[in-house]
Amino acid sequence: MKTVPRVLVVEDEPAIAELIAVNLRHNGFQPIWAIDGDAAQRELDAVLPDVILLDWMLPGQSGLTLAKKWRAHARTKPVPILMITARGDEPDKIAGLDAGADDYITKPFSTQELLARIRAVLRRRSPEQGNDSVTLDALELDAATYRVSYQGQNLKLGPTEFKLLHYFMKHAERVHSRGQLLDKVWGDHVFIEERTVDVHVKRLREALGAAGAMVETVRGAGYRMTAHPSA
């Protein structure tokens, strides 16, 4: 029996919520409506949805605050979040994505666009995840315990840098373009620009310390992780 994907719609305007819910039902989804952050949290505590449609402007806690909160908890962290808002400026888009949203859709939007984006985040949820352990020279990563160490010393990495390192280590010695890294690590986000990769690679190198040289820049092509960095 095919499982119907559950979509938690966090929207304080009943007319918009009902319109979204009707279209979701007609296209093979099971919508659950929450009018604010408290109601949404109750739904999440009961059953985790397959995706969250989260309005930015909500009474009480904003969608931005809720996205950060849910991304900070292990249970809700893997659930894809699609931020819905009237804020269309690039800084707002970046703020939503930095808060943990997987994608961003600006009002007004068409039903077909919304459905396409929901299907896209469901396809790419957990782009490169797993509970495996990876070792490259003296660098070790354990995805199950979220630990990274180099020469026996534990390292502290942010969540994006951890995913980036995990992908690099699983595909060591290969050259990856910025576009490929966006697809595999971020999940082909529409609004994230390629220069974002450079920022996170820089942060990754800083977090790795002496092992940072293992992440090489291949001029004109992208990045490569190697156990034998060039001098």
Side-chain angles (χ1 to χ4, degrees):
M1 182 176 176
K2 187 178 179 180
T3 302
V4 177
R6 293 170 58 89
V7 181
L8 177 59
V9 182
V10 190
E11 168 63 64
D12 65 320
E13 296 186 36
I16 295 177
E18 180 59 25
L19 179 63
I20 291 173
V22 167
N23 283 286
L24 288 174
R25 287 192 200 96
H26 287 170
N27 287 275
F29 297 94
Q30 179 186 354
I32 300 95
W33 179 39
I35 197 168
D36 57 20
D38 291 339
Q41 189 62 57
R42 288 193 293 270
E43 295 292 346
L44 289 170
D45 290 342
V47 181
L48 281 182
D50 293 286
V51 64
I52 299 171
L53 296 185
L54 179 60
D55 189 29
W56 183 308
M57 301 298 291
L58 291 168
Q61 299 180 81
S62 70
L64 207 64
T65 300
L66 291 170
K68 291 178 181 178
K69 173 184 174 183
W70 294 333
R71 281 290 176 259
H73 287 77
R75 183 170 176 269
T76 50
K77 184 178 181 179
V79 182
I81 297 174
L82 179 60
M83 188 79 78
I84 301 176
T85 178
R87 296 170 178 262
D89 294 337
E90 184 178 8
D92 292 323
K93 295 175 182 177
I94 293 171
L97 294 166
D98 284 346
D102 291 87
D103 206 344
Y104 194 106
I105 184 167
T106 305
K107 297 177 181 177
F109 51 84
S110 71
T111 300
Q112 291 307 311
E113 181 184 7
L114 178 63
L115 293 169
R117 288 179 183 271
I118 291 173
R119 293 185 183 111
V121 295
L122 288 174
R123 281 196 305 270
R124 70 190 181 226
R125 77 186 294 184
S126 306
E128 281 289 331
Q129 292 183 357
N131 293 329
D132 54 336
S133 297
V134 193
T135 301
L136 186 65
D137 194 25
L139 185 63
E140 299 180 9
L141 180 149
D142 189 335
T145 60
Y146 211 84
R147 289 195 176 110
V148 178
S149 64
Y150 181 64
Q151 296 180 341
Q153 299 295 314
N154 289 330
L155 304 175
K156 292 184 179 181
L157 274 68
T160 301
E161 286 70 46
F162 184 90
K163 288 194 294 182
L164 186 58
L165 178 63
H166 193 191
Y167 182 75
F168 272 142
M169 292 181 70
K170 288 178 69 176
H171 304 85
E173 307 301 336
R174 301 181 192 174
V175 178
H176 308 279
S177 70
R178 291 165 179 82
Q180 288 171 334
L181 291 172
L182 282 175
D183 288 350
K184 299 299 184 181
V185 178
W186 279 263
D188 191 21
H189 290 309
V190 175
F191 295 112
I192 292 182
E193 297 184 4
E194 290 191 356
R195 67 172 181 265
T196 303
V197 176
D198 300 330
V199 173
H200 286 286
V201 168
K202 181 175 182 291
R203 291 178 184 173
L204 175 60
R205 284 173 172 152
E206 291 170 351
L208 291 176
M214 296 172 71
V215 182
E216 294 185 329
T217 299
V218 181
R219 189 174 297 278
Y223 295 101
R224 170 179 57 212
M225 184 149 206
T226 177
H228 308 290
S230 303

